[in-house]
Every structure is written in C-alpha cells, then in structure tokens.
Amino acid sequence: MPEGRDRYACSITSLTLLISLTRVIPDILQELDPPQPAHWRHHLLLLYKKGVYLSHTGEKMLFWVLGLLILCVFLWTCKGNLKIADITDKYIFITGCDSGFGNLAAKTFDKKGFHVIAACLTESGSTALKAETSERLHTVLLDVTDPENVKRTTQWVKDKVGEKGLWGLINNAGVPGVLAPTDWLTLEDYREPVEVNLFGLISVTLNMLPLVKKAQGRVINVSSVGGRLAIVGGGYTPSKYAVEGFNDSLRRDMKAFGVHVSCIEPGLFKTNLADPVKTLEKKLAIWEQLSPDIKQQYGEGYIEKSLDKLKGNTSFVNMDLSLVVECMDHALTSLFPKTHYAAGKDAKIFWIPLSHMPAVLQDFLLLKQKAELANLKAV
C-alpha cells in the first residue's frame, strides 16, 4: 500500500504541473513573438491604398496624354486643309511646262481657275499646251539660262499681273545632265545641270521676287531626293543640293514679307527628264571618250551590268505625276503650306528616311546598287 500511495501522489503532482505549464505557455510564446501593434497594419493598408491611387493616377495621366496627342493630330490635319479664299483672281508663273510635272501643273491649275502663265522652252511645247487649256492660260518662251530672256519675260509678266502681283512662282525647269561615275566626267559635263537647275532657278526667282512680295504669295522650288542623297554621279545631284540651300535661305529671308517658300522633293518618276534611252545614249557617248585605263578599270560590260541592276529597281519608279502636282497645289492654296514636300512612295519610304541615316548605312545600301568593277588594279 505505501507504494500505491506514492504512485497516486506522483500522478497528482504531474497533472498539477501539466496544468501549470498549459497556463504559462501562452505567456512564453507571447514574449518570444509579441503581437504586431495595430498601427502597423494601418500603415500597410495606407501603402496599399496609395499604390492603387498612384496606379489609377498613372492610367488617367496616360489617357490624357493619348487624348492630347489625338487632338494635336486632328488639329494639325484640319490646319493643313484650310485653303485660301479665292483663286480666280490670282496669277501663277510656272517654268518647264513643255512636259512632265510643269505641263500637268499648268493644265491642273488652269482647270482650278488660276491665271496660269506657263513658260516653255520650245514653240512646239507652247502650242501643244495652249491647245489643251482655256483662254485664261498664257504661254511664254523662256530659256532660264539666258539672263536677258528672263528679264524680258519678267517685264511681260509684270504688265500682265498689274497691281495684284504674282501669287505663285513655281520653279520647275530642270535637266538631268550626264549621269555617270565621277571619274568619267569633265567640268563641262557638270555645267549644264548646274546652269539650268541652280543658276536658272535663282535668276528667275530674283527677277520675279518683287512681284511675289507685292502679292505676299508663294515660291515653290522643285528639287529632288537627289538634293538629299547623292544617288548617282554627275552635275544633277550637286545642283539639287544647292537648290535645297538656296530654298532654305530664301524661306527665312522672305518670312518677314509674308511670302511662303516651299521645296518639293520628288522621288523617281517616269518623265522625259528620266528617259532611260536618252540617259543611256549620253553615258555611251561619254564611254567612247574615256581613256583606256578607265575602260579597263570598269570593264567593257559595265554599262550593261549597271542597266541590269537598275531593272531590279523598277518598283521604285512612280508613274503618277499628279503626286507632285498635289504637293504644288497644297503649297499654293493652303493657308499653312509646308516647308518641304516629299512626293512619291519611294521618297517617303526609302530616300528621305535614308538621308537621315549614318553615312556608313547610306554607303552600304547605295553601293549594293552599283555594278562591280572589272579590274581595280589597272590604275
């Protein structure tokens, strides 16, 4: 019996100890891991709400920015569509109207109601144009490289327009000259395109400018993508680069007089100017005059290889000349004409963007279009 009482007493003691531990354990755990204060949860909730608020604010800001951009595009488009009030009392003078852009422009603006004075180089071109237009249109024979001819024509135009002045001057006359590698050419090969495309344009502009200032009108210079990028050798590209420079300085000088100056940069178009047969004939004539060394460097089949390369780029040639005339129309009639117009899909998609690229990329793409030389060591 004494042993039984001991065991019973031990069991009672153990149970009492277990109950005590059960009461103490929560206190111990609380000391080891104290509960977070209520303000901590409050701060966390505030941070969450702030994050949600910032997210919503960012979304609203993006929405307003997009809305503003859309509004700007809309207003810019509307601005470009605003036209001058009346064109039936306005005179415009266009050079190079025998064919191509100038010929189509003269017909188009005559139909619109402008008083068109179309300058042609040949009598046949003048006669053909008059046969297809109204009595409002007048033609005049003009060689832009002849200073006396330009002065006489200016006086004749002055008598025609009277006190109204000249609303529009479109410098369109131009020639390609010889398009060939630079080391094939002489100084004389550069002279013709520079005389016509640059000095002829400047001569006509300087003489007609007082009439344009009187009307607070427009000057439109037809340049080329060749004035932004040297695509081929010869005098055409330098002349068009110079036209771009003259155009920019003229635009800034005339701004104070209320005269708008625009430059049109057509891509490759199928016109008499770019007649492949005439271009080939000129190149063959130059080839016959080359030294034996240069012929050996380029090889007898170089011209044929170059033509084969060009045949692969026929998709670049624009057939619709009205794309250029539409640019002229906007520059003449818009209340807010552009300073530069790119005409033709090739100009907009390839040539003009390429002109902004690094020279190393320009060289890589343009040199791929050139035929390989036969013997570089024959120097």
Side-chain angles (χ1 to χ4, degrees), residues 2 78 100 102 166 217 219 249 265 279 285 293 302 317 323:
C78 292
L166 187 63
V219 177
S249 60
E265 298 161 338
T279 301
D293 287 347
Y302 179 80
V317 179
L323 296 175

Side-chain angles (χ1 to χ4, degrees), residues 8 33 37 55 75 82 100 103 127 156 175 195 206 249-250 252 355 376:
Y8 178 76
D33 186 17
S55 176
L75 292 176
L82 296 174
N103 186 269
T127 303
W156 182 80
V175 295
E195 288 286 350
L206 295 181
S249 60
L250 179 67
R252 296 177 184 120
S355 71
L376 292 171

